């Protein structure tokens, strides 16, 4: 696994990890962590693919940027792919990473071989969700990052996982606490302001993979199913005993589904 850092006019530093060879897959992490989220799956996916796992701006080794948005994060992915000389890739996004994947698909459609939405949806926030995020931003700005992270992370796992593997929850809490408070609020503001990309799906010329957990308390299963009807080619995988974190809770299954999807996308494009 190579760790690389680039800088551009817009991004003072963008860190990413790279391994493997073959068709490129970008793994975009969700909130509130870094590319390390994918550490259980990237080596095996790298046996068939070139894996690029960026730290989105403001997390891991990547500096934050003013006025962060899904589009700016999509630009960060583009800058990394350009540096690597990669002209087409499958973009797999976990939750917030899926929102970035949709912005990327909208802005750089010609670079997309396929999009994998891992516990994620294509629409924007409901008013209720925006209000909840604003309250969390206020809490974090008052110095409440630690209680915020400690309260939100356990909800990402299925009850079964939290009971059998409390160490998974603790690991993600430690990862979440590493992210600066300013980055957490920047990510939340970017999520509040994100666009609805259901139209992007209706016009998609690329295949989609949808991965959902039956016990996901964050990403509503009914919305995933609705959105999986919009593009013309959709693979849908619904996991038992899985919350919002299949790359940890059901890592072997996720590896298999991403590799299968990658083979389909590469053959469809050959
Ligand atoms: C994530 O896992 O990235 C976030 O929970 C997404 C969200 O809050 O919408």
């Amino acid at each position: 696994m190579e760790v690389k850092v680039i800088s551009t006019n817009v991004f003072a530093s963008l860190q990413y990890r790279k391994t493997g060879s073959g068709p490129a897959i970008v793994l975009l992490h969700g909130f509130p962590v870094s590319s390390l989220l994918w550490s259980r799956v990237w080596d095996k996916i790298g046996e068939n693919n070139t894996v690029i796992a960026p730290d989105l701006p403001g997390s891991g080794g990547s500096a934050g940027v003013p006025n962060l948005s899904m589009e700016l994060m999509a630009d960060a992915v583009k800058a990394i792919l350009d540096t690597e000389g990669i002209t087409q890739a499958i973009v797999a996004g976990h939750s917030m990473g899926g929102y970035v994947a949709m912005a990327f698909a909208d802005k750089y459609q010609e670079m997309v071989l396929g999009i994998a939405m891992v516990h994620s949806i294509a629409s924007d926030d409901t008013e209720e969700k925006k209000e909840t995020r604003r309250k969390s931003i206020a809490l974090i700005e008052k110095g409440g990052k630690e209680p915020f992270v400690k309260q939100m992370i356990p909800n990402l796992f299925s009850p079964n996982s939290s009971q059998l593997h409390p160490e998974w929850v603790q690991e993600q809490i430690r990862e979440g606490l590493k992210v600066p408070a300013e980055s957490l609020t920047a990510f939340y503001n970017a999520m509040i302001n994100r666009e609805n990309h259901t139209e992007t799906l209706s016009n998609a010329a690329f295949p989609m993979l949808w991965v959902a957990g039956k016990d996901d308390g964050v990403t509503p299963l009914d919305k995933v199913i609705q959105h999986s009807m919009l593009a013309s080619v959709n693979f849908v995988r619904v996991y038992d005993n899985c919350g919002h974190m299949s790359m940890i809770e059901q890592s072997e299954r996720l590896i298999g589904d991403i590799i299968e999807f990658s083979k389909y996308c590469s053959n469809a494009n050959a």
Side-chain angles (χ1 to χ4, degrees), residues 16-266:
Y16 60 100
R17 291 176 161 80
K18 184 184 176 199
T19 191
S21 60
I25 295 197
V26 181
L27 298 176
L28 296 176
H29 65 83
F31 176 93
V33 290
S34 72
S35 60
L36 287 175
L37 176 77
W38 300 103
S39 60
R40 288 170 175 84
V41 303
W42 54 30
D43 284 336
K44 280 206 182 156
I45 298 175
E47 288 173 12
N48 298 268
N49 296 86
T50 303
V51 174
I52 304 279
D55 289 336
L56 290 169
S59 76
S62 296
V65 285
N67 304 317
L68 187 69
S69 63
M70 296 304 152
E71 289 70 28
L72 262 176
M73 290 194 263
D75 292 345
V77 175
K78 165 90 160 73
I80 292 169
L81 293 179
D82 287 350
T83 303
E84 290 292 332
I86 294 170
T87 54
Q88 278 202 311
I90 292 162
V91 183
H94 173 239
S95 203
M96 179 183 76
Y99 312 153
V100 177
M102 289 312 305
F104 186 87
D106 187 41
K107 218 169 165 183
Y108 304 112
Q109 169 134 206
E110 69 292 346
M111 296 183 77
V112 175
L113 262 186
I115 297 280
M117 296 288 273
V118 181
H119 314 290
S120 193
I121 52 172
S123 52
D124 51 350
D125 274 350
T126 59
E127 270 315 309
E128 194 189 346
K129 186 88 193 181
K130 287 183 187 175
E131 210 29 58
T132 314
R133 290 200 205 279
R134 287 190 193 106
K135 286 190 185 137
S136 301
I137 290 172
L139 170 67
I140 297 167
E141 284 175 343
K142 272 195 261 149
K145 177 177 104 168
E146 188 167 337
F148 167 76
V149 169
K150 287 186 168 164
Q151 170 267 316
M152 81 154 287
I153 297 283
N155 297 331
L156 303 180
F157 291 87
S158 72
N160 197 44
S161 297
S162 319
Q163 215 186 2
L164 291 178
H165 293 285
E167 73 284 5
W168 289 348
V169 179
Q170 291 311 315
E171 176 193 287
Q172 291 309 299
I173 290 177
R174 280 195 302 279
E175 288 305 312
L177 289 176
K178 285 185 197 162
V179 179
E182 312 79 72
S183 301
L184 295 181
T185 55
F187 286 133
Y188 256 13
N189 278 315
M191 286 193 254
I192 289 173
N193 294 322
R194 76 183 190 277
E195 282 186 28
N196 182 335
H197 279 297
T198 46
E199 278 283 305
T200 308
L201 287 178
S202 308
N203 300 323
F206 45 80
M208 298 290 306
L209 169 64
W210 300 89
V211 174
K214 273 202 187 147
D215 302 323
D216 190 337
V218 179
T219 302
L221 186 55
D222 57 339
K223 269 206 180 157
V224 176
I225 302 300
Q226 265 173 34
H227 293 181
S228 72
M229 309 271 168
L230 297 175
S232 49
V233 179
N234 295 281
F235 293 79
V236 182
R237 303 284 182 260
V238 181
Y239 297 177
D240 282 327
N241 289 324
C242 187
H244 192 63
M245 305 295 277
S246 55
M247 70 298 294
I248 298 173
E249 300 178 85
Q250 297 281 345
S251 55
E252 289 301 316
R253 194 164 171 198
L254 182 68
I255 290 166
D257 285 336
I258 289 183
I259 292 175
E260 182 193 27
F261 180 63
S262 158
K263 287 185 179 155
Y264 175 86
C265 293
S266 304

